[in-house]
């Protein structure tokens, strides 16, 4: 992957671990000034040497984006990536309203409100990337059943992303929804644990977070006016059905 210089400011929401942390690493190598935002920084993030680590950022609460807005001042955003997400195992037998609400707050409502908060800092050429999931595709059909809250909230994120792409197109702002693949993260391993998968097998067949991050950035490099409003799978490079 070619290294770019003076690429601009990249804001990563959900940067403290997993894919978000690795995205910060890749973007720094590409020459971005990285603002790594999270609720609470991890030791790994503090050791990364991002240009700014912004704690206390919570996309689900009123005013939760203020640390990012203060850090930006008059700088414009070249790239915004919303990584933050939530997944809890549920089935038809135990799905409930509170669990569904939590999924929607983190996975669809929060990301949309984060973009809204940063709208004054988005300019022509800005790229907005929402990390989605193939599980949010109503037409893909390859991911089985259950996980109602996660699937439904990620489908709502798709709708938010597609609508943003249309609303921002006239201003030259490009939007993509990217499925990062099945990645070896705490979230994915915890779901497999809840499903009864033995500990020794919980990482089996999963992408490593650094590999996923590189693939996501490859998709971001393809994002422009012609590809805005695309739902991509970073692990395969394919365009996913809505």
């Amino acid at each position: 992957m070619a290294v770019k210089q003076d690429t601009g400011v990249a804001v990563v929401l959900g940067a403290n671990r997993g894919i978000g942390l690795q995205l910060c690493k890749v973007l720094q190598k590409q020459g971005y000034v990285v603002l790594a935002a999270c609720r609470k920084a991890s030791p790994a993030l503090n050791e990364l040497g991002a240009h700014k680590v912004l704690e206390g950022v919570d996309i689900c609460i009123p005013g939760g984006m203020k640390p990012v807005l203060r850090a930006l001042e008059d700088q414009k955003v070249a790239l915004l990536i919303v990584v933050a997400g939530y997944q809890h195992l549920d089935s038809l037998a135990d799905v409930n309203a509170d669990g569904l609400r939590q999924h929607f707050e983190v996975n669809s409502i929060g990301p949309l409100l984060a973009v809204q908060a940063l709208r004054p800092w988005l300019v022509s050429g800005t790229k907005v990337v929402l990390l989605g999931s193939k599980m949010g595709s109503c037409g893909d059909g390859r991911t089985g059943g259950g996980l109602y809250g996660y699937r439904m909230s990620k489908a709502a994120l798709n709708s938010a992303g597609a609508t943003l792409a249309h609303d921002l197109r006239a201003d030259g702002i490009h939007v993509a929804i990217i499925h990062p693949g099945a990645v070896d993260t705490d979230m994915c391993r915890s779901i497999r644990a809840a499903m009864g998968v033995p500990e020794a097998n919980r990482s089996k067949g999963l992408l490593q977070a650094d590999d996923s991050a590189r693939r996501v950035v490859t998709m971001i490099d393809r994002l422009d006016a012609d590809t805005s409003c695309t739902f991509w799978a970073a692990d395969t490079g394919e365009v996913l059905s809505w």
Side-chain angles (χ1 to χ4, degrees), residues 47-229:
E47 293 169 5
L48 177 62
H51 293 85
K52 284 190 180 179
V53 174
L54 307 174
E55 289 191 288
V57 177
D58 189 338
I59 64 175
C60 296
I61 63 172
M65 288 289 292
K66 285 183 179 178
V68 180
L69 308 188
R70 287 195 296 266
L72 281 169
E73 297 180 338
D74 60 350
Q75 300 177 94
K76 299 304 181 181
V77 174
L79 173 62
L80 167 61
I81 308 180
V82 185
V83 181
Y86 171 76
Q87 186 180 49
H88 177 76
L89 183 65
D90 57 24
S91 66
L92 181 57
D94 60 22
V95 67
N96 61 78
D98 287 341
L100 292 174
R101 288 191 192 98
Q102 186 168 6
H103 276 97
F104 274 86
E105 286 174 3
V106 180
N107 293 341
S108 43
I109 298 171
L112 176 58
L113 294 181
V115 176
Q116 180 192 54
L118 287 170
R119 178 62 186 90
W121 287 267
L122 310 182
V123 295
S124 181
T126 296
K127 298 183 180 186
V128 176
V129 176
L130 308 176
L131 280 202
S133 173
K134 189 158 57 177
M135 288 187 180
S137 169
C138 294
D140 187 78
R142 290 178 286 181
T143 59
L147 293 165
Y148 282 88
Y150 189 73
R151 294 179 191 277
M152 292 166 64
S153 60
K154 286 297 188 178
L157 181 69
N158 286 350
S159 180
T163 307
L164 282 168
H166 287 290
D167 282 346
L168 299 175
R169 185 182 299 276
D171 292 324
I173 299 166
H174 317 312
V175 183
I177 305 95
I178 300 180
H179 164 68
V183 184
D184 189 11
T185 61
D186 292 341
M187 185 173 73
C188 194
R189 288 191 298 273
S190 67
I191 286 293
R192 289 188 168 193
M195 295 171 66
V197 176
E199 185 174 358
N201 295 331
R202 289 175 195 166
S203 297
K204 188 176 181 180
L206 300 179
L207 286 175
Q208 292 303 302
D210 58 345
D211 186 16
S212 173
R214 287 191 293 269
R215 293 169 186 250
V216 168
V217 172
T218 296
M219 296 293 99
I220 292 171
D221 287 342
R222 293 168 56 185
L223 177 58
D224 58 21
D226 293 331
T227 58
S228 188
C229 199

Side-chain angles (χ1 to χ4, degrees), residues 13-29:
L13 302 177
N16 64 326
R17 60 182 179 173
I19 302 169
L21 177 67
Q22 297 301 325
L23 280 168
C24 291
K25 290 182 181 180
V26 175
L27 294 174
Q28 282 190 186
K29 291 179 180 178

